[in-house]
Amino acid sequence: ILKKQFHTEEVIKREQARMQKRACRPHLYGKKIAVPTRNGSMHAFVYNSKNLHPGYLIIEVHGGGFMYNTAADDDDFCHFIHQTLGIPVIACDYSLTPEHPFPIGLEDVYDCVLHALSMKELKAQPDRIILWGHSAGANLAAGTVYMARENQQFTPCMQILDYPYMDPYRSSAERRPIRNSVSGKLMDTFAHYYTKSPDELRNVLISPILYPAETFTDMPRTFILLCGRDNLNEGGKKYGLLLRKAKVPVTFYYVREALHGFIENHFNYEYIPVITKIQITRRQHELAEKSVKHICRWIFRQIKDL
């Protein structure tokens, strides 16, 4: 039954090895550093040639269902937002499942923020942290915000969540199938291997839309990008509406024609699988460029207001 419902660990490891090989590139804009964490250490990439808004720092968290991709896959993206905004960026290469189930990846991202605050060259302030995550990375970004609220070691001022995966407790059978979106089997595989027990999927740090109502007050300003052709839409929309109900400033940006992952696929186009390239039309490229520029303008406005 397991093999029919989920991808096997052998299949996952094979795909992870392919992606790690893909991440070995002749040139990377980011500087690779080692980040100590409570679970050992992780790698991260630092983009710090400009610092036009002292105190601010972007922590970028890649997507991939907690299981796939690397920080190197977002190298062009991180370079672009760093050059556009003039804000230092750190891309987290957090630990992946199945080898490292929850909460290891989330703790890695949180600990990456703490380490970044200790890096004098970044000049980051604990109340000027911006979390920017994609898909499962958006889930981890939101979880980091939640942990920061509980631990009070830093106070994120913004969170940007691109096509966020906010409700892993919901199976694919409970979602409306959408062509060229995340397949049902793959989505269920992500959720299955992220936890040690299916019951754990209702943990608020795994499914942020289950946060207690009082938790949503005093959350940072939030930007949520939703794709029209994405079966994860409902969770992201619900999360944003819960924040709004708690009087948190939330900006929704709905890209009707966009596919799930379109931003990462645009910036990483040279390295994505052929089958994915077929789906990425010129229009998807245009939408990705437009969306990222729009988010950068939004960040500028928040900096001006804060």
Side-chain angles (χ1 to χ4, degrees):
I1 296 175
L2 180 64
K3 290 186 178 181
K4 292 181 181 178
Q5 189 176 357
F6 311 114
H7 291 297
T8 64
E9 291 199 36
E10 289 76 17
V11 169
I12 293 166
K13 287 178 181 177
R14 205 159 51 235
E15 186 68 4
Q16 286 177 332
R18 185 183 67 80
M19 290 183 177
Q20 288 292 338
K21 187 176 180 181
R22 184 183 74 186
C24 298
R25 304 175 183 191
H27 169 75
L28 288 169
Y29 291 106
K31 176 186 175 183
K32 190 174 183 179
I33 64 168
V35 176
T37 72
R38 72 193 76 182
N39 301 302
S41 68
M42 59 170 271
H43 289 116
F45 291 96
V46 180
Y47 306 78
N48 189 32
S49 63
K50 294 182 179 182
N51 198 338
L52 305 182
H53 304 279
Y56 285 93
L57 171 69
I58 295 172
I59 302 293
E60 193 266 354
V61 194
H62 71 80
F66 314 109
M67 180 179 290
Y68 292 137
N69 300 330
T70 70
D73 292 319
D74 288 353
D75 183 63
D76 283 324
F77 169 77
C78 290
H79 174 70
F80 178 84
I81 61 175
H82 173 59
Q83 293 298 315
T84 302
L85 292 166
I87 297 173
V89 176
I90 290 190
C92 300
D93 216 3
Y94 56 88
S95 302
L96 302 175
T97 64
E99 186 177 355
H100 304 287
F102 172 85
I104 297 175
L106 176 59
E107 291 173 345
D108 282 353
V109 176
Y110 185 92
D111 292 347
C112 185
V113 179
L114 293 181
H115 181 71
L117 287 169
S118 73
M119 296 173 64
K120 293 182 179 179
E121 63 271 28
L122 297 178
K123 302 175 183 177
Q125 296 298 316
D127 61 346
R128 292 291 181 262
I129 300 297
I130 302 169
L131 274 297
W132 191 336
H134 322 278
S135 192
N139 178 301
L140 297 174
T144 300
V145 169
Y146 183 97
M147 289 175 64
R149 176 193 169 97
E150 298 298 301
N151 298 332
Q152 299 185 345
Q153 292 176 293
F154 56 91
T155 308
C157 62
M158 300 176 222
Q159 59 176 342
I160 297 130
L161 312 174
D162 296 334
Y163 28 86
Y165 185 25
M166 308 304 271
D167 52 356
Y169 74 94
R170 294 178 64 220
S171 70
S172 61
E174 299 173 78
R175 303 174 191 269
R176 181 168 63 94
I178 297 177
R179 186 182 177 191
N180 292 335
S181 187
V182 184
S183 75
K185 183 175 182 179
L186 188 57
M187 195 182 306
D188 290 339
T189 297
F190 291 154
H192 174 73
Y193 288 107
Y194 189 43
T195 64
K196 296 174 183 176
S197 163
D199 295 337
E200 203 173 16
L201 288 171
R202 299 190 72 88
N203 183 321
V204 296
L205 288 174
I206 294 175
S207 294
I209 64 169
L210 300 178
Y211 286 159
E214 63 273 14
T215 301
F216 286 97
T217 57
D218 300 323
M219 284 286 195
R221 299 176 184 211
T222 301
F223 187 104
I224 298 179
L225 183 150
L226 300 175
C227 303
R229 297 162 66 185
D230 183 9
N231 47 19
L232 298 184
N233 258 349
E234 192 175 331
K237 182 179 179 181
K238 184 175 181 180
Y239 180 74
L241 292 175
L242 288 168
L243 286 174
R244 273 192 178 172
K245 190 175 181 180
K247 310 300 182 186
V248 175
V250 177
T251 298
F252 281 107
Y253 188 68
Y254 185 67
V255 189
R256 185 177 299 277
E257 300 170 67
L259 293 165
H260 183 87
F262 75 113
I263 288 176
E264 296 135 293
N265 287 334
H266 164 69
F267 282 94
N268 196 38
Y269 185 77
E270 182 181 349
Y271 297 94
I272 61 177
V274 174
I275 191 169
T276 307
K277 284 184 177 179
I278 293 170
Q279 300 171 9
I280 308 302
T281 61
R282 179 181 295 179
R283 182 59 177 157
Q284 295 295 311
H285 287 293
E286 292 171 350
L287 291 171
E289 288 190 2
K290 180 181 177 182
S291 297
V292 173
K293 289 176 181 176
H294 183 86
I295 296 172
C296 288
R297 288 193 295 270
W298 179 83
I299 292 173
F300 277 133
R301 288 197 298 271
Q302 308 317 305
I303 290 175
K304 195 173 181 180
D305 290 344
L306 288 170

